[in-house]
Amino acid sequence: MNESVSRAENTLYQVLDLEVDLARQTVRRDGEAIVLPELSFRLLAALIRNVPETIGKDELVREVWGEVVVSDETLSQRVRLLRQALGEDAQDPRYLSSVRGRGYRLICAVKPIASTEIVGSPRGRWPVLLAVVLALAVAALWSMLGGKQEALPEPSIDSIAVLPFADLSPGRDHAYFADGMQEELLTRLAGLDNLQVASRTSVEQYRGTEMALPEIARQLGVGAVIESSIRIAENRVRITVQLIDAQSDRHLWAEVYDRELSVQNIFSIQQEVAERIGQALALEYEAIKRPAGAQLPTISIDAYDAYLIGRYHTFAQTPEDLARAITFLEQAVAIDPEFAEAWATLGWAYSFVGTLYGEQPPREVYPKAKEAVTRALSIDNQLANARTLYADILAWYDWDFAAAEREYLKTMALDPNNVLGYVLFLSIQLRHEEAIALIEQRIAANPDDAYAHINAAWTFMRTRQYERAILEASLAPEHTDAGPVLGFAYLALGEHDKAVQVFETSLRLQGGRPRFMANLAIAYFVVGREGEAQQLLDEVLAVAARQYVSPDLIADVYFAAGDAGKGFAALEQAVEARSRGMIFLQTNSSLDEYRQDPRYLALIEAVGF
């Protein structure tokens, strides 16, 4: 049974087989030092000071992290790290135990050691004494210099990951706001010179994980991790940001921002966080994303809130998400008609609705997309995100390819990294070498961007480089398009069983949407399972009788079935509908044997190639 420990002046303790010096922050076992990260040592010290009592989670967080707000998951992670360092099995604990619903406590014998005693083996005493002497000498020198202390050199870290913000709001109903904060911070950190920032898609897999931060950093290949949370309640926002050295698990910097909820305060916090992180990493901050003196995108917190919700759903790219996105983005621009970024994102939402992602007639939604992006550019003609969308609409819907190329070049002049739209443009124009060079350059600049890898995969599919397409798609397994790329690449390579398996899995995961039924029908026709293929085609046609389904999608199934007459008839309907799929006429492998067919040549002329 544990003895009660006095909390007065004792700093040396025997904790089972450990010798713990709270003053010097050292832990030894049999004379050998056990190195603990600072937070792990604070956790152990807090448990020692409270033995034999159970210490509640909230109190433990205060003793370990001070005023920094952290989640229960962070505390649990810290407990696991301490156990690992001490060599303890959580299923058979020797030192500390979790008390369900309450907190943690030490379950081993803890005895104070007289403060005059030097713990450890004789060999270990001299380094301790030397450390004391050096500490006193440093203190004396600091005093002689009038309290001025030269800062120690900061660790050299050239890569960082921003984990998804935890939503600690009552009701946990501000996840969209947390995601918006993460994206804005990522954008600002891109302005840090010589710093590689892991993409949002690459860190999404760690949302809500209990994995230790050093392991997350190892998997992402970064030197530091930012862990953050937001809490919105009663018109106030509390944002906690922690910068952690992944190798030592040491806090390089942490800050809590508790302010009135306003757009000015939010952007002020984002700017300050980026600058402070730059200082912590000994890097020079270059405010290239939002130069000093630039206007805020809006001063309305209601407009900004609606915009964040809308943007969150826009890039989820499902019909349901896109409908919700449009609702909120229209609210944002109604509240603040001069909110350029909201107008641009509304344009993106409408444009996605007119593709396979949204399943709405292009003639109904693309004029709305063009109106929204034109409004955005009239407010801010330097907004690259709007400029590239305008170019996309010119290419995807207007089929004005000369004007589209001019706009893509303007986009890259504003943002040299914004090249994905132009890559697709070059590809459909059969300028494959230029397209590949540009997409490789884009990936080299941000190797873990899943969206870039998917664009690369489709680029290689259009050049019939199927092995490279498979490689790129495998680097973005969570993206909706990963399945279609892999399936068609396997079909082209003759690996039919793999192709069918991929398409069947995609259809199951995507809930029976026409696009994925059509893909599987194509595969079934190719492998000779004609009965199942026809059944799927009939289902697609039944859906098309009730709602819009891109006719070019149906055309691909007819070509796979060997019915070129119905295939070309469907493509003529696609021209009339101005389906985005028609821009792929020259690269669609379903049409390879018909390149000299008068029906194909008429389509090429109609689209304007």
Side-chain angles (χ1 to χ4, degrees):
M1 184 173 179
N2 293 333
E3 299 179 12
S4 179
V5 175
S6 169
R7 304 185 190 182
E9 298 297 330
N10 291 314
T11 63
L12 305 178
Y13 295 94
Q14 187 76 40
V15 182
L16 195 58
D17 58 345
L18 305 175
E19 295 172 338
V20 182
D21 187 333
L22 300 185
R24 301 186 180 96
Q25 296 190 4
T26 59
V27 180
R28 292 179 176 276
R29 179 189 286 134
D30 298 329
E32 296 296 325
I34 298 175
V35 179
L36 294 182
E38 181 180 354
L39 290 179
S40 295
F41 188 89
R42 288 186 191 176
L43 174 62
L44 177 60
L47 292 169
I48 291 173
R49 293 190 185 101
N50 286 273
V51 79
E53 303 297 329
T54 296
I55 179 170
K57 292 182 179 180
D58 290 342
E59 183 181 352
L60 198 52
V61 166
R62 282 194 298 272
E63 291 207 30
V64 177
W65 282 273
E67 294 301 315
V68 176
V69 178
V70 300
S71 63
D72 287 350
E73 290 81 5
T74 300
L75 175 59
S76 299
Q77 183 183 92
R78 183 56 51 187
V79 170
R80 285 194 298 275
L81 291 173
L82 176 59
R83 280 177 165 153
Q84 291 172 9
L86 300 181
E88 174 170 87
D89 183 354
Q91 303 302 317
D92 184 22
R94 302 172 60 217
Y95 299 102
L96 65 148
S97 175
S98 171
V99 180
R100 184 178 296 276
R102 294 178 59 193
Y104 298 89
R105 70 184 183 93
L106 289 177
I107 57 174
C108 61
V110 178
K111 298 179 180 179
I113 303 173
S115 59
T116 56
E117 180 179 351
I118 301 296
V119 293
S121 65
R123 172 180 287 181
R125 293 177 184 175
W126 285 111
V128 173
L129 291 173
L130 181 58
V132 172
V133 172
L134 288 174
L136 291 172
V138 170
L141 180 59
W142 184 86
S143 178
M144 291 170 60
L145 294 174
K148 296 179 180 179
Q149 185 176 15
E150 184 177 352
L152 293 175
E154 296 290 349
S156 177
I157 295 174
D158 58 5
S159 56
I160 197 168
V162 182
L163 298 184
F165 276 53
D167 177 19
L168 304 182
S169 306
R172 303 297 191 267
D173 54 353
H174 284 78
Y176 67 90
F177 194 98
D179 285 357
M181 284 295 300
Q182 180 197 15
E183 185 165 327
E184 289 289 349
L185 184 54
L186 283 168
T187 299
R188 291 176 180 275
L189 289 178
L192 288 171
D193 190 27
N194 299 324
L195 180 68
Q196 290 290 325
V197 183
S199 70
R200 178 176 175 176
T201 52
S202 65
V203 302
E204 181 61 29
Q205 60 185 304
Y206 302 104
R207 181 185 297 276
T209 184
E210 295 186 359
M211 185 182 298
L213 291 180
E215 177 59 20
I216 293 175
R218 186 193 66 78
Q219 292 184 8
L220 291 172
V222 297
V225 174
I226 295 177
E227 187 179 46
S228 309
S229 67
I230 65 113
R231 185 180 190 277
I232 296 177
E234 299 179 354
N235 203 35
R236 293 196 67 82
V237 58
R238 183 184 181 94
I239 301 175
T240 302
V241 186
Q242 303 175 78
L243 176 65
I244 302 164
D245 183 338
Q247 184 172 2
S248 66
D249 203 23
R250 179 173 67 92
H251 275 62
L252 300 175
W253 169 74
E255 191 65 79
V256 179
Y257 302 89
D258 191 347
R259 300 178 186 175
E260 180 183 357
L261 184 59
S262 71
V263 175
Q264 292 93 330
N265 283 341
I266 289 168
F267 278 84
S268 173
I269 291 170
Q270 292 166 352
Q271 182 81 7
E272 186 175 340
V273 167
E275 290 175 347
R276 290 293 304 276
I277 289 171
Q279 293 166 4
L281 297 178
L283 297 168
E284 179 182 357
Y285 182 72
E286 296 178 357
I288 58 174
K289 296 299 179 183
R290 191 174 300 280
Q295 294 292 318
L296 292 174
T298 180
I299 60 172
S300 167
I301 189 63
D302 292 332
Y304 190 66
D305 194 56
Y307 160 71
L308 287 178
I309 299 175
R311 185 175 66 178
Y312 176 83
H313 289 285
T314 294
F315 294 98
Q317 293 182 328
T318 70
E320 298 77 17
D321 277 297
L322 289 169
R324 187 169 172 81
I326 289 170
T327 298
F328 280 97
L329 290 166
E330 287 182 337
Q331 287 180 16
V333 297
I335 296 169
D336 183 358
E338 299 302 308
F339 193 171
E341 292 179 13
W343 280 112
T345 308
L346 178 60
W348 279 110
Y350 274 128
S351 69
F352 287 143
V353 165
T355 69
L356 294 175
Y357 298 116
E359 302 167 352
Q360 294 294 319
R363 288 189 180 275
E364 291 183 10
V365 293
Y366 270 97
K368 296 179 181 179
K370 193 171 187 178
E371 181 181 356
V373 73
T374 302
R375 183 64 183 273
L377 289 170
S378 71
I379 299 168
D380 182 359
N381 64 5
Q382 301 299 302
L383 193 59
N385 186 43
R387 183 66 61 185
T388 191
L389 173 59
Y390 184 58
D392 284 346
I393 294 171
L394 289 171
W396 300 355
Y397 180 75
D398 290 349
W399 300 340
D400 187 346
F401 299 114
E405 182 161 22
R406 289 194 294 270
E407 293 300 320
Y408 284 126
L409 295 176
K410 290 178 183 178
T411 298
M412 292 188 294
L414 294 170
D415 179 2
N417 214 29
N418 195 330
V419 300
L420 297 182
Y422 192 44
V423 167
L424 186 148
F425 175 86
L426 293 170
S427 181
I428 63 174
Q429 296 287 339
L430 304 182
R431 294 160 62 179
H432 296 310
E433 290 185 4
E434 294 175 77
I436 290 173
L438 205 54
I439 192 65
E440 288 179 340
Q441 174 185 322
R442 174 67 171 77
I443 290 175
N446 197 343
D448 57 358
D449 186 342
Y451 193 60
H453 284 296
I454 282 295
N455 275 265
W458 283 122
T459 302
F460 288 123
M461 283 294 296
R462 290 189 284 271
T463 60
R464 312 298 190 257
Q465 299 182 58
Y466 300 117
E467 291 87 354
R468 293 193 69 179
I470 290 171
L471 174 61
E472 295 295 340
S474 67
L475 295 174
E478 301 301 320
H479 196 282
T480 305
D481 281 3
V485 172
L486 290 172
F488 285 119
Y490 286 137
L491 270 186
L493 292 171
E495 299 184 43
H496 295 163
D497 290 343
K498 285 185 178 180
V500 168
Q501 182 180 5
V502 167
F503 284 137
E504 288 176 341
T505 300
S506 294
L507 179 59
R508 184 176 68 254
L509 294 176
Q510 298 299 327
R513 288 174 54 196
R515 175 191 184 189
F516 297 94
M517 287 193 288
N519 291 345
L520 183 56
I522 291 170
Y524 280 163
F525 274 124
V526 170
V527 301
R529 295 166 63 172
E530 295 184 358
E532 295 167 279
Q534 187 62 49
Q535 183 178 354
L536 282 170
L537 175 56
D538 290 342
E539 290 184 43
V540 173
L541 293 173
V543 174
R546 302 190 302 270
Q547 67 181 59
Y548 177 79
V549 175
S550 296
D552 54 286
L553 187 69
I554 298 171
D556 285 340
V557 183
Y558 281 132
F559 282 114
D563 192 338
K566 289 185 177 179
F568 277 113
L571 289 179
E572 290 171 1
Q573 294 174 15
V575 170
E576 177 61 28
R578 299 198 79 83
S579 170
R580 175 178 178 265
M582 297 308 293
I583 67 173
F584 301 106
L585 270 177
Q586 298 188 103
T587 58
N588 187 343
S589 60
S590 298
L591 299 171
D592 282 352
E593 61 180 288
Y594 302 102
R595 300 299 178 193
Q596 301 305 315
D597 191 299
R599 294 168 294 183
Y600 170 79
L601 296 175
L603 291 170
I604 287 292
E605 184 177 357
V607 175
F609 283 114

